[in-house]
Structures are given as structure tokens and as C-alpha cells.
Short mmCIF file of all heavy atoms in Angstrom, two decimals:
data_model
loop_
_atom_site.label_atom_id
_atom_site.label_comp_id
_atom_site.label_asym_id
_atom_site.label_seq_id
_atom_site.Cartn_x
_atom_site.Cartn_y
_atom_site.Cartn_z
N MET A 64 0.87 -1.19 0.00
CA MET A 64 -0.09 0.00 0.01
C MET A 64 0.85 1.24 -0.04
O MET A 64 1.85 1.33 0.84
CB MET A 64 -0.91 -0.05 1.21
CG MET A 64 -1.80 1.19 1.36
SD MET A 64 -2.69 0.88 2.82
CE MET A 64 -4.18 1.82 2.42
N LEU A 65 0.49 2.21 -0.94
CA LEU A 65 1.45 3.36 -0.94
C LEU A 65 0.89 4.42 0.16
O LEU A 65 -0.16 4.40 0.45
CB LEU A 65 1.16 4.00 -2.34
CG LEU A 65 1.62 3.35 -3.56
CD1 LEU A 65 1.21 3.98 -4.84
CD2 LEU A 65 3.08 3.15 -3.53
N PRO A 66 1.93 5.18 0.70
CA PRO A 66 1.64 6.22 1.70
C PRO A 66 0.73 7.35 1.01
O PRO A 66 0.70 7.55 -0.22
CB PRO A 66 2.95 6.75 2.12
CG PRO A 66 3.86 6.43 0.95
CD PRO A 66 3.33 5.26 0.26
N HIS A 67 -0.03 7.97 1.82
CA HIS A 67 -0.93 9.11 1.42
C HIS A 67 0.13 10.15 0.85
O HIS A 67 1.22 10.34 1.39
CB HIS A 67 -1.64 9.57 2.59
CG HIS A 67 -2.69 10.73 2.14
ND1 HIS A 67 -2.25 12.03 2.07
CD2 HIS A 67 -3.95 10.65 1.84
CE1 HIS A 67 -3.23 12.71 1.70
NE2 HIS A 67 -4.33 11.86 1.56
N PRO A 68 -0.28 10.80 -0.35
CA PRO A 68 0.62 11.75 -0.92
C PRO A 68 1.14 12.88 0.08
O PRO A 68 2.27 13.29 0.00
CB PRO A 68 -0.10 12.40 -2.06
CG PRO A 68 -1.12 11.34 -2.35
CD PRO A 68 -1.50 10.65 -1.15
N ALA A 69 0.31 13.32 0.98
CA ALA A 69 0.70 14.30 1.93
C ALA A 69 1.66 13.77 2.91
O ALA A 69 2.40 14.59 3.52
CB ALA A 69 -0.56 14.86 2.68
N ALA A 70 1.79 12.45 3.07
CA ALA A 70 2.73 11.93 3.97
C ALA A 70 4.13 11.67 3.30
O ALA A 70 5.09 11.39 4.00
CB ALA A 70 2.22 10.50 4.46
N LEU A 71 4.23 11.94 2.13
CA LEU A 71 5.45 11.73 1.38
C LEU A 71 6.47 12.91 1.80
O LEU A 71 6.09 13.94 2.22
CB LEU A 71 5.29 11.85 -0.09
CG LEU A 71 4.52 10.66 -0.78
CD1 LEU A 71 4.23 10.90 -2.24
CD2 LEU A 71 5.15 9.40 -0.45
N PRO A 72 7.84 12.62 1.77
CA PRO A 72 8.67 13.67 2.17
C PRO A 72 8.62 14.94 1.22
O PRO A 72 8.09 14.82 0.16
CB PRO A 72 10.08 12.95 2.02
CG PRO A 72 9.85 11.77 1.10
CD PRO A 72 8.40 11.41 1.28
N ARG A 73 9.11 16.03 1.72
CA ARG A 73 9.20 17.23 1.02
C ARG A 73 9.78 17.07 -0.45
O ARG A 73 10.77 16.24 -0.63
CB ARG A 73 9.86 18.34 1.71
CG ARG A 73 9.07 18.69 2.98
CD ARG A 73 9.42 20.15 3.33
NE ARG A 73 8.51 20.47 4.42
CZ ARG A 73 7.39 21.16 4.33
NH1 ARG A 73 7.00 21.42 3.20
NH2 ARG A 73 6.76 21.52 5.45
N VAL A 74 9.45 17.91 -1.28
CA VAL A 74 10.10 17.88 -2.59
C VAL A 74 11.30 18.70 -2.71
O VAL A 74 11.33 19.69 -2.08
CB VAL A 74 8.86 18.43 -3.59
CG1 VAL A 74 9.38 18.52 -4.98
CG2 VAL A 74 7.70 17.69 -3.61
N GLU A 75 12.27 18.23 -3.46
CA GLU A 75 13.46 18.87 -3.58
C GLU A 75 13.16 20.22 -4.32
O GLU A 75 12.47 20.23 -5.26
CB GLU A 75 14.42 18.03 -4.46
CG GLU A 75 15.88 18.78 -4.68
CD GLU A 75 16.79 17.89 -5.44
OE1 GLU A 75 16.62 16.59 -5.53
OE2 GLU A 75 17.72 18.51 -6.00
N SER A 76 13.91 21.29 -3.86
CA SER A 76 13.53 22.51 -4.65
C SER A 76 14.00 22.59 -5.99
O SER A 76 15.16 22.00 -6.38
CB SER A 76 14.51 23.66 -3.76
OG SER A 76 14.38 25.00 -4.53
N PRO A 77 13.21 23.28 -6.91
CA PRO A 77 13.73 23.23 -8.31
C PRO A 77 14.70 24.25 -8.63
O PRO A 77 15.21 24.51 -9.73
CB PRO A 77 12.54 23.59 -9.07
CG PRO A 77 11.68 24.32 -8.02
CD PRO A 77 11.95 23.78 -6.74
N CYS A 78 15.32 24.98 -7.59
CA CYS A 78 16.19 26.01 -7.71
C CYS A 78 17.54 25.51 -8.31
O CYS A 78 18.04 24.47 -8.01
CB CYS A 78 16.57 26.66 -6.33
SG CYS A 78 17.83 28.01 -6.47
N ILE A 79 17.99 26.25 -9.35
CA ILE A 79 19.24 25.88 -10.02
C ILE A 79 20.37 26.93 -9.95
O ILE A 79 21.32 26.96 -10.58
CB ILE A 79 19.00 25.60 -11.60
CG1 ILE A 79 18.50 26.74 -12.26
CG2 ILE A 79 18.10 24.39 -11.65
CD1 ILE A 79 18.52 26.58 -13.87
N LYS A 80 20.15 27.78 -8.99
CA LYS A 80 21.10 28.89 -8.56
C LYS A 80 21.34 29.96 -9.77
O LYS A 80 22.32 30.43 -9.88
CB LYS A 80 22.44 28.23 -8.23
CG LYS A 80 22.29 27.23 -7.14
CD LYS A 80 22.03 27.84 -5.75
CE LYS A 80 22.18 26.77 -4.75
NZ LYS A 80 21.00 26.01 -4.32
N VAL A 81 20.28 30.04 -10.52
CA VAL A 81 20.13 31.08 -11.51
C VAL A 81 19.05 32.07 -11.19
O VAL A 81 17.84 32.02 -11.70
CB VAL A 81 19.88 30.44 -12.92
CG1 VAL A 81 19.76 31.56 -13.96
CG2 VAL A 81 20.95 29.59 -13.33
N CYS A 82 19.25 32.72 -10.11
CA CYS A 82 18.16 33.53 -9.43
C CYS A 82 17.96 34.85 -10.03
O CYS A 82 18.56 35.82 -9.35
CB CYS A 82 18.42 33.61 -7.88
SG CYS A 82 18.57 31.83 -7.17
N THR A 83 17.31 34.94 -11.11
CA THR A 83 17.04 36.26 -11.80
C THR A 83 15.60 36.24 -12.08
O THR A 83 15.07 35.41 -12.68
CB THR A 83 17.86 36.35 -13.12
OG1 THR A 83 19.28 36.18 -12.69
CG2 THR A 83 17.64 37.71 -13.78
N LEU A 84 14.91 37.47 -11.61
CA LEU A 84 13.59 37.52 -11.94
C LEU A 84 13.22 38.40 -13.26
O LEU A 84 14.00 39.32 -13.49
CB LEU A 84 12.82 38.24 -10.80
CG LEU A 84 12.94 37.57 -9.36
CD1 LEU A 84 12.37 38.47 -8.34
CD2 LEU A 84 12.29 36.16 -9.35
N ASP A 85 12.11 37.91 -13.92
CA ASP A 85 11.80 38.61 -15.18
C ASP A 85 10.79 39.71 -14.72
O ASP A 85 10.61 39.99 -13.55
CB ASP A 85 11.15 37.63 -16.07
CG ASP A 85 9.88 37.08 -15.80
OD1 ASP A 85 9.29 37.54 -14.78
OD2 ASP A 85 9.46 36.21 -16.47
N ALA A 86 10.29 40.44 -15.62
CA ALA A 86 9.37 41.58 -15.38
C ALA A 86 8.13 41.18 -14.58
O ALA A 86 7.56 41.99 -14.18
CB ALA A 86 9.12 42.26 -16.72
N HIS A 87 7.79 39.96 -14.60
CA HIS A 87 6.65 39.41 -13.97
C HIS A 87 6.92 38.68 -12.70
O HIS A 87 6.18 37.99 -12.19
CB HIS A 87 5.79 38.37 -14.80
CG HIS A 87 5.57 38.92 -16.24
ND1 HIS A 87 4.50 39.88 -16.43
CD2 HIS A 87 6.06 38.76 -17.50
CE1 HIS A 87 4.48 40.24 -17.60
NE2 HIS A 87 5.45 39.58 -18.36
N ASN A 88 8.10 38.98 -12.09
CA ASN A 88 8.65 38.35 -10.84
C ASN A 88 8.57 36.91 -10.90
O ASN A 88 8.29 36.22 -9.99
CB ASN A 88 7.80 38.87 -9.65
CG ASN A 88 8.18 40.31 -9.19
OD1 ASN A 88 9.32 40.73 -9.46
ND2 ASN A 88 7.26 41.03 -8.76
N VAL A 89 9.03 36.30 -12.07
CA VAL A 89 9.23 34.90 -12.21
C VAL A 89 10.64 34.54 -12.41
O VAL A 89 11.29 35.25 -13.26
CB VAL A 89 8.32 34.27 -13.46
CG1 VAL A 89 8.67 32.88 -13.68
CG2 VAL A 89 6.81 34.51 -13.27
N CYS A 90 11.23 33.57 -11.71
CA CYS A 90 12.56 33.28 -11.80
C CYS A 90 12.89 32.64 -13.17
O CYS A 90 12.21 31.70 -13.58
CB CYS A 90 13.06 32.32 -10.66
SG CYS A 90 14.77 31.73 -10.78
N VAL A 91 13.93 33.15 -13.90
CA VAL A 91 14.25 32.67 -15.26
C VAL A 91 14.87 31.27 -15.06
O VAL A 91 15.12 30.54 -15.96
CB VAL A 91 15.06 33.56 -16.15
CG1 VAL A 91 14.23 34.89 -16.29
CG2 VAL A 91 16.34 33.90 -15.44
N GLY A 92 15.48 30.95 -13.89
CA GLY A 92 16.14 29.67 -13.64
C GLY A 92 15.21 28.55 -13.45
O GLY A 92 15.20 27.55 -14.14
N CYS A 93 14.36 28.64 -12.38
CA CYS A 93 13.45 27.59 -11.95
C CYS A 93 11.95 27.76 -12.40
O CYS A 93 11.28 26.77 -12.41
CB CYS A 93 13.50 27.38 -10.50
SG CYS A 93 12.73 28.78 -9.46
N GLY A 94 11.57 28.96 -12.81
CA GLY A 94 10.27 29.17 -13.18
C GLY A 94 9.15 29.43 -12.16
O GLY A 94 8.05 29.60 -12.42
N ARG A 95 9.63 29.53 -10.88
CA ARG A 95 8.78 29.96 -9.77
C ARG A 95 8.61 31.51 -9.61
O ARG A 95 9.51 32.15 -10.09
CB ARG A 95 9.23 29.32 -8.44
CG ARG A 95 9.33 27.88 -8.33
CD ARG A 95 9.85 27.40 -6.98
NE ARG A 95 11.23 27.77 -6.84
CZ ARG A 95 12.05 27.68 -5.79
NH1 ARG A 95 11.42 27.18 -4.69
NH2 ARG A 95 13.24 27.91 -5.75
N THR A 96 7.36 31.80 -9.10
CA THR A 96 7.17 33.19 -8.87
C THR A 96 7.99 33.61 -7.58
O THR A 96 8.48 32.71 -6.83
CB THR A 96 5.72 33.44 -8.68
OG1 THR A 96 5.19 32.80 -7.44
CG2 THR A 96 4.88 33.04 -9.83
N LEU A 97 8.13 34.83 -7.50
CA LEU A 97 8.76 35.34 -6.25
C LEU A 97 8.07 34.96 -4.91
O LEU A 97 8.60 34.42 -4.10
CB LEU A 97 8.81 36.87 -6.31
CG LEU A 97 9.59 37.51 -5.09
CD1 LEU A 97 10.95 37.12 -5.01
CD2 LEU A 97 9.46 39.13 -5.20
N ARG A 98 6.68 34.87 -4.93
CA ARG A 98 5.94 34.42 -3.91
C ARG A 98 6.14 32.92 -3.57
O ARG A 98 6.32 32.47 -2.44
CB ARG A 98 4.44 34.69 -4.12
CG ARG A 98 3.45 34.13 -3.18
CD ARG A 98 3.67 34.55 -1.65
NE ARG A 98 3.49 35.94 -1.63
CZ ARG A 98 3.92 36.70 -0.53
NH1 ARG A 98 4.52 36.17 0.49
NH2 ARG A 98 3.79 38.02 -0.53
N GLU A 99 6.21 32.07 -4.65
CA GLU A 99 6.39 30.67 -4.47
C GLU A 99 7.85 30.47 -3.98
O GLU A 99 7.91 29.47 -3.13
CB GLU A 99 6.27 29.95 -5.83
CG GLU A 99 4.88 29.89 -6.40
CD GLU A 99 4.73 29.42 -7.76
OE1 GLU A 99 5.77 29.57 -8.55
OE2 GLU A 99 3.63 29.00 -8.23
N ILE A 100 8.79 31.16 -4.22
CA ILE A 100 10.13 31.08 -3.79
C ILE A 100 10.10 31.36 -2.34
O ILE A 100 10.68 30.67 -1.48
CB ILE A 100 11.05 31.86 -4.62
CG1 ILE A 100 11.29 31.54 -5.90
CG2 ILE A 100 12.51 31.95 -3.89
CD1 ILE A 100 11.98 32.45 -6.92
N ALA A 101 9.44 32.53 -1.99
CA ALA A 101 9.51 32.97 -0.61
C ALA A 101 8.65 31.96 0.32
O ALA A 101 9.05 31.73 1.57
CB ALA A 101 8.77 34.26 -0.43
N ASP A 102 7.59 31.35 -0.22
CA ASP A 102 6.80 30.36 0.58
C ASP A 102 7.31 28.92 0.68
O ASP A 102 6.72 28.18 1.32
CB ASP A 102 5.34 30.47 0.08
CG ASP A 102 4.63 31.86 0.42
OD1 ASP A 102 5.20 32.62 1.22
OD2 ASP A 102 3.59 32.10 -0.31
N TRP A 103 8.25 28.68 -0.28
CA TRP A 103 8.61 27.33 -0.47
C TRP A 103 8.77 26.50 0.86
O TRP A 103 8.26 25.36 1.08
CB TRP A 103 9.97 27.16 -1.25
CG TRP A 103 10.34 25.85 -1.55
CD1 TRP A 103 11.31 25.09 -0.91
CD2 TRP A 103 9.84 24.94 -2.48
NE1 TRP A 103 11.40 23.77 -1.40
CE2 TRP A 103 10.48 23.65 -2.54
CE3 TRP A 103 8.80 25.18 -3.49
CZ2 TRP A 103 10.18 22.64 -3.37
CZ3 TRP A 103 8.50 24.04 -4.44
CH2 TRP A 103 9.28 22.82 -4.33
N SER A 104 9.56 26.94 1.83
CA SER A 104 9.88 26.16 3.04
C SER A 104 8.65 25.98 3.92
O SER A 104 8.58 25.12 4.78
CB SER A 104 10.97 26.82 3.76
OG SER A 104 10.56 28.16 4.29
N ARG A 105 7.67 26.79 3.88
CA ARG A 105 6.42 26.69 4.45
C ARG A 105 5.30 25.91 3.82
O ARG A 105 4.17 25.60 4.38
CB ARG A 105 5.84 28.10 4.99
CG ARG A 105 6.77 28.76 5.92
CD ARG A 105 6.15 30.27 6.29
NE ARG A 105 5.95 31.02 5.25
CZ ARG A 105 6.84 31.75 4.64
NH1 ARG A 105 8.14 31.76 5.13
NH2 ARG A 105 6.66 32.64 3.68
N MET A 106 5.57 25.39 2.62
CA MET A 106 4.53 24.63 1.82
C MET A 106 4.50 23.29 2.34
O MET A 106 5.56 22.60 2.60
CB MET A 106 4.87 24.68 0.26
CG MET A 106 4.71 26.03 -0.38
SD MET A 106 5.12 25.87 -2.06
CE MET A 106 4.96 27.47 -2.69
N SER A 107 3.28 22.56 2.03
CA SER A 107 3.30 21.13 2.33
C SER A 107 3.83 20.51 1.05
O SER A 107 4.14 21.15 0.05
CB SER A 107 1.84 20.76 2.40
OG SER A 107 1.20 20.79 1.25
N ALA A 108 4.16 19.25 1.18
CA ALA A 108 4.74 18.44 0.09
C ALA A 108 3.77 18.46 -1.09
O ALA A 108 4.33 18.68 -2.34
CB ALA A 108 5.03 17.00 0.49
N ASP A 109 2.45 18.45 -0.85
CA ASP A 109 1.54 18.59 -1.99
C ASP A 109 1.72 19.97 -2.69
O ASP A 109 1.70 20.00 -3.94
CB ASP A 109 0.10 18.42 -1.54
CG ASP A 109 -0.20 16.95 -1.41
OD1 ASP A 109 0.52 15.98 -1.76
OD2 ASP A 109 -1.21 16.66 -0.58
N GLU A 110 1.70 21.08 -1.83
CA GLU A 110 1.94 22.31 -2.49
C GLU A 110 3.24 22.51 -3.14
O GLU A 110 3.22 23.13 -4.27
CB GLU A 110 1.85 23.40 -1.33
CG GLU A 110 0.45 23.54 -0.74
CD GLU A 110 0.40 24.35 0.55
OE1 GLU A 110 1.48 24.29 1.29
OE2 GLU A 110 -0.62 25.07 0.85
N GLN A 111 4.33 21.84 -2.76
CA GLN A 111 5.54 21.84 -3.37
C GLN A 111 5.52 21.18 -4.76
O GLN A 111 6.08 21.66 -5.69
CB GLN A 111 6.63 21.32 -2.53
CG GLN A 111 6.98 22.21 -1.43
CD GLN A 111 8.02 21.50 -0.45
OE1 GLN A 111 8.21 20.18 -0.47
NE2 GLN A 111 8.69 22.40 0.37
N ARG A 112 4.75 20.08 -4.73
CA ARG A 112 4.66 19.33 -6.04
C ARG A 112 3.88 20.15 -7.03
O ARG A 112 4.26 20.27 -8.19
CB ARG A 112 4.04 18.00 -5.81
CG ARG A 112 4.98 16.85 -5.34
CD ARG A 112 4.34 15.52 -5.31
NE ARG A 112 3.45 15.43 -4.14
CZ ARG A 112 3.92 15.14 -2.95
NH1 ARG A 112 5.17 15.07 -2.72
NH2 ARG A 112 3.02 15.04 -1.90
N LEU A 113 2.73 20.72 -6.51
CA LEU A 113 1.97 21.71 -7.49
C LEU A 113 2.77 22.92 -7.95
O LEU A 113 2.76 23.26 -9.18
CB LEU A 113 0.82 22.07 -6.81
CG LEU A 113 -0.45 21.05 -6.57
CD1 LEU A 113 -1.49 21.64 -5.67
CD2 LEU A 113 -0.90 20.65 -7.81
N THR A 114 3.59 23.37 -7.09
CA THR A 114 4.43 24.52 -7.44
C THR A 114 5.41 24.13 -8.49
O THR A 114 5.64 24.80 -9.59
CB THR A 114 5.11 25.06 -6.19
OG1 THR A 114 4.21 25.64 -5.30
CG2 THR A 114 6.19 26.20 -6.51
N CYS A 115 6.02 23.01 -8.37
CA CYS A 115 6.97 22.38 -9.34
C CYS A 115 6.30 22.19 -10.72
O CYS A 115 6.81 22.52 -11.81
CB CYS A 115 7.61 21.15 -8.88
SG CYS A 115 8.85 21.38 -7.66
N GLU A 116 5.14 21.72 -10.59
CA GLU A 116 4.26 21.53 -11.98
C GLU A 116 3.96 22.79 -12.59
O GLU A 116 4.21 22.99 -13.80
CB GLU A 116 3.01 20.77 -11.65
CG GLU A 116 3.23 19.30 -11.31
CD GLU A 116 1.86 18.60 -10.77
OE1 GLU A 116 0.73 19.22 -11.10
OE2 GLU A 116 2.04 17.59 -10.28
N ARG A 117 3.50 23.91 -11.87
CA ARG A 117 3.30 25.16 -12.33
C ARG A 117 4.56 25.81 -13.07
O ARG A 117 4.56 26.42 -14.00
CB ARG A 117 2.71 26.16 -11.34
CG ARG A 117 1.22 25.73 -11.02
CD ARG A 117 0.50 26.99 -10.19
NE ARG A 117 1.20 26.94 -8.88
CZ ARG A 117 0.85 26.61 -7.79
NH1 ARG A 117 -0.21 25.76 -7.76
NH2 ARG A 117 1.51 26.84 -6.66
N ALA A 118 5.70 25.77 -12.20
CA ALA A 118 6.91 26.22 -12.65
C ALA A 118 7.41 25.59 -13.98
O ALA A 118 7.91 26.15 -14.88
CB ALA A 118 7.91 26.03 -11.57
N ALA A 119 7.27 24.27 -14.07
CA ALA A 119 7.55 23.58 -15.26
C ALA A 119 6.78 24.04 -16.48
O ALA A 119 7.28 24.19 -17.62
CB ALA A 119 7.48 22.01 -15.17
N ARG A 120 5.40 24.29 -16.28
CA ARG A 120 4.65 24.88 -17.37
C ARG A 120 5.11 26.19 -17.77
O ARG A 120 5.17 26.51 -18.89
CB ARG A 120 3.10 24.94 -16.86
CG ARG A 120 2.48 23.54 -17.02
CD ARG A 120 0.95 23.70 -16.86
NE ARG A 120 0.58 24.27 -15.54
CZ ARG A 120 0.21 23.35 -14.59
NH1 ARG A 120 0.16 22.07 -14.78
NH2 ARG A 120 -0.14 23.91 -13.48
N ARG A 121 5.46 27.04 -16.76
CA ARG A 121 6.04 28.27 -17.06
C ARG A 121 7.20 28.33 -17.89
O ARG A 121 7.44 29.04 -18.93
CB ARG A 121 6.25 29.10 -15.83
CG ARG A 121 5.04 29.73 -15.12
CD ARG A 121 5.47 30.57 -14.01
NE ARG A 121 4.43 30.53 -13.08
CZ ARG A 121 4.41 29.96 -11.87
NH1 ARG A 121 5.45 29.35 -11.44
NH2 ARG A 121 3.31 30.00 -11.00
N ARG A 122 8.12 27.33 -17.57
CA ARG A 122 9.43 27.12 -18.25
C ARG A 122 9.12 26.67 -19.65
O ARG A 122 9.74 27.01 -20.62
CB ARG A 122 10.33 26.19 -17.48
CG ARG A 122 11.00 26.83 -16.29
CD ARG A 122 11.86 25.89 -15.48
NE ARG A 122 12.90 25.14 -16.38
CZ ARG A 122 13.80 25.68 -16.98
NH1 ARG A 122 14.24 26.92 -16.55
NH2 ARG A 122 14.66 24.94 -17.69
N GLU A 123 8.18 25.80 -19.85
CA GLU A 123 7.75 25.25 -21.03
C GLU A 123 7.29 26.34 -21.93
O GLU A 123 7.61 26.49 -23.17
CB GLU A 123 6.70 24.15 -20.93
CG GLU A 123 6.61 23.21 -22.15
CD GLU A 123 5.70 22.09 -21.85
OE1 GLU A 123 5.77 21.46 -20.78
OE2 GLU A 123 4.76 21.87 -22.52
N LEU A 124 6.39 27.13 -21.42
CA LEU A 124 5.86 28.26 -22.24
C LEU A 124 6.86 29.26 -22.62
O LEU A 124 6.77 29.96 -23.67
CB LEU A 124 4.72 28.99 -21.42
CG LEU A 124 3.44 28.20 -21.24
CD1 LEU A 124 2.54 28.92 -20.27
CD2 LEU A 124 2.79 28.06 -22.58
N ALA A 125 8.00 29.40 -21.86
CA ALA A 125 9.03 30.33 -22.12
C ALA A 125 10.03 29.75 -23.09
O ALA A 125 11.04 30.28 -23.42
CB ALA A 125 9.68 30.64 -20.80
N GLY A 126 9.87 28.43 -23.38
CA GLY A 126 10.80 27.78 -24.26
C GLY A 126 11.87 26.95 -23.70
O GLY A 126 12.87 26.48 -24.30
N PHE A 127 11.65 26.65 -22.33
CA PHE A 127 12.64 25.79 -21.57
C PHE A 127 11.98 24.50 -21.16
O PHE A 127 11.40 24.43 -20.11
CB PHE A 127 13.31 26.59 -20.44
CG PHE A 127 13.91 27.81 -20.79
CD1 PHE A 127 13.22 29.04 -20.46
CD2 PHE A 127 15.27 27.75 -21.42
CE1 PHE A 127 13.92 30.22 -20.86
CE2 PHE A 127 15.83 28.88 -21.72
CZ PHE A 127 15.18 30.11 -21.41
N ALA A 128 11.95 23.45 -22.00
CA ALA A 128 11.13 22.25 -21.63
C ALA A 128 11.96 21.43 -20.63
O ALA A 128 13.05 21.58 -20.46
CB ALA A 128 10.99 21.50 -22.95
N GLY A 129 11.04 20.72 -19.86
CA GLY A 129 11.65 19.80 -18.91
C GLY A 129 12.10 20.34 -17.59
O GLY A 129 11.81 21.58 -17.33
N ARG A 130 12.80 19.64 -16.64
CA ARG A 130 13.17 20.03 -15.51
C ARG A 130 14.41 21.02 -15.78
O ARG A 130 15.20 20.72 -16.65
CB ARG A 130 13.66 18.86 -14.63
CG ARG A 130 13.98 19.28 -13.31
CD ARG A 130 14.00 18.03 -12.40
NE ARG A 130 14.64 18.19 -11.11
CZ ARG A 130 14.16 18.69 -10.09
NH1 ARG A 130 12.98 19.03 -10.14
NH2 ARG A 130 14.73 18.82 -8.93
N PRO A 131 14.72 21.93 -14.83
CA PRO A 131 15.82 22.85 -15.02
C PRO A 131 17.11 21.96 -15.10
O PRO A 131 17.26 21.11 -14.48
CB PRO A 131 15.77 23.68 -13.79
CG PRO A 131 14.42 23.66 -13.35
CD PRO A 131 13.90 22.43 -13.68
N GLU A 132 18.09 22.43 -15.96
CA GLU A 132 19.42 21.69 -16.12
C GLU A 132 20.15 21.70 -14.75
O GLU A 132 20.00 22.70 -14.09
CB GLU A 132 20.18 22.34 -17.18
CG GLU A 132 19.41 22.17 -18.55
CD GLU A 132 20.36 21.94 -19.75
OE1 GLU A 132 21.54 21.71 -19.34
OE2 GLU A 132 19.90 22.17 -20.77
N GLY A 133 20.90 20.69 -14.47
CA GLY A 133 21.74 20.62 -13.32
C GLY A 133 21.00 20.12 -12.08
O GLY A 133 21.57 20.02 -10.98
N THR A 134 19.68 19.75 -12.32
CA THR A 134 18.97 19.22 -11.06
C THR A 134 18.52 17.73 -11.35
O THR A 134 18.50 17.27 -12.39
CB THR A 134 17.78 20.09 -10.83
OG1 THR A 134 16.87 20.14 -11.89
CG2 THR A 134 18.19 21.49 -10.49
#
């Protein structure tokens, strides 16, 4: 039996140490918003996973498919 998703360990940060915000306060390295970056350590594992999914979509829309390089 698999553990409940909320019981899973925290998600690794998508940060790739390219911490530069664009005009919309979105990091060009990981794709997270400034608010998501600030809130990361207080998010549940589920919230972190959702944040990673949203960040990946942003990166995809910006032309950077897949997970950030180096992670």
C-alpha cells in the first residue's frame, strides 16, 4: 500500500542557482514566482509538487522544456 501523498517527504527545490527575476517576478532559472520562492519552506509536500508543476509549465511556455538543467 502506498503512503498518502501528503505523507511523502518534501519535494526537492527546483532552484538551479540562476536566481534572476523577469518583469513578472518569475525566476528565469526555476520558473517559480517570487511568492512561490518565498513560501517554499512553509509549503506542504503537495503544495511543493503543485508549485513544481506550475513552474515547469511556465518554463515550457518560455521555451525551456523539462526540469531545469543541473537538477
Side-chain angles (χ1 to χ4, degrees):
M64 177 181 209
L65 294 174
H67 186 275
L71 295 174
R73 293 206 176 267
V74 178
E75 182 179 339
S76 170
C78 180
I79 60 168
K80 310 289 190 265
V81 179
C82 305
T83 303
L84 299 176
D85 67 11
H87 304 286
N88 284 329
V89 174
C90 178
V91 299
C93 68
R95 292 179 295 169
T96 65
L97 183 59
R98 172 59 59 197
E99 290 168 338
I100 293 166
D102 291 345
W103 183 260
S104 64
R105 292 182 301 276
M106 291 179 182
S107 69
D109 285 341
E110 291 169 325
Q111 290 176 338
R112 279 187 282 283
L113 289 172
T114 296
C115 286
E116 289 171 14
R117 286 192 301 265
R120 278 193 295 266
R121 286 185 203 109
R122 288 180 47 76
E123 196 172 312
L124 289 171
F127 301 105
R130 185 163 166 83
E132 297 215 11
T134 59

